[in-house]
Amino acid sequence: MSRKFLFVTGLSGAGKTTLSELLKNDYGIVHFNVDVWAFGGDPITQSGEVPNPAMMANRDPAIKEAFDHMVAMGFTKLAAGEEVEFGVWEQFFGPLADAVLAARAAVAEKDFVVSFSVFRRSVRDFLRQKLGPEVAF
């Protein structure tokens, strides 16, 4: 039987984490919180938490660099209406896709939801290619 594999996206504060935690708590779906992962926490066991200084003490330097670069060169340019080279997104979303696939494989018998803002269609297409056709946004 095929398991559900969802990626919940939306603007900051739109309720991505809240919806994903509801799915986790009410239906037993595993929630991978990208914010928690990016800031050094365990994206599954700490999925309902807000990133905090204790998590950040464990932050992977490469993920921190990729995230900071994405914010500075991606989101900032996007907000200014400027074009963003795809490599800016790929530097962060490539390792994220690998982490999501590894986490999903560890809980292969369960439905799985990922929460994070993915604004660009090109990034969603990239994630579909990396994560496989069963992921739904």
Side-chain angles (χ1 to χ4, degrees):
M1 180 170 135
S2 178
R3 294 291 172 192
K4 291 179 184 76
F5 186 13
L6 308 171
F7 207 117
V8 179
T9 69
L11 297 173
S12 181
K16 299 175 296 297
T17 300
T18 301
L19 173 60
S20 298
E21 282 295 297
L22 176 82
L23 292 170
K24 172 185 159 182
N25 294 330
D26 289 0
Y27 298 98
I29 295 175
V30 175
H31 175 205
F32 186 107
N33 185 325
V34 176
D35 287 333
V36 170
W37 173 79
F39 284 92
D42 183 302
I44 294 176
T45 63
Q46 295 176 299
S47 64
E49 297 181 31
V50 174
N52 59 56
M55 285 180 195
M56 288 187 244
N58 297 319
R59 200 168 183 197
D60 180 306
I63 300 304
K64 178 187 182 322
E65 180 183 341
F67 183 84
D68 291 348
H69 184 70
M70 178 179 66
V71 170
M73 300 305 294
F75 294 135
T76 302
K77 283 187 169 187
L78 201 62
E82 299 175 26
E83 279 298 311
V84 180
E85 290 183 30
F86 187 76
V88 170
W89 307 117
E90 187 175 20
Q91 183 180 350
F92 177 77
F93 285 103
L96 169 62
D98 294 340
V100 166
L101 287 172
R104 187 169 182 241
V107 294
E109 72 284 354
K110 295 193 175 193
D111 294 332
F112 201 84
V113 62
V114 181
S115 60
F116 194 63
S117 299
V118 183
F119 300 113
R120 307 302 297 177
R121 175 177 216 108
S122 60
V123 174
R124 290 191 304 273
D125 290 345
F126 172 77
L127 286 169
R128 278 187 195 96
Q129 181 182 21
K130 296 275 287 179
L131 299 176
E134 65 276 2
V135 69
F137 286 85

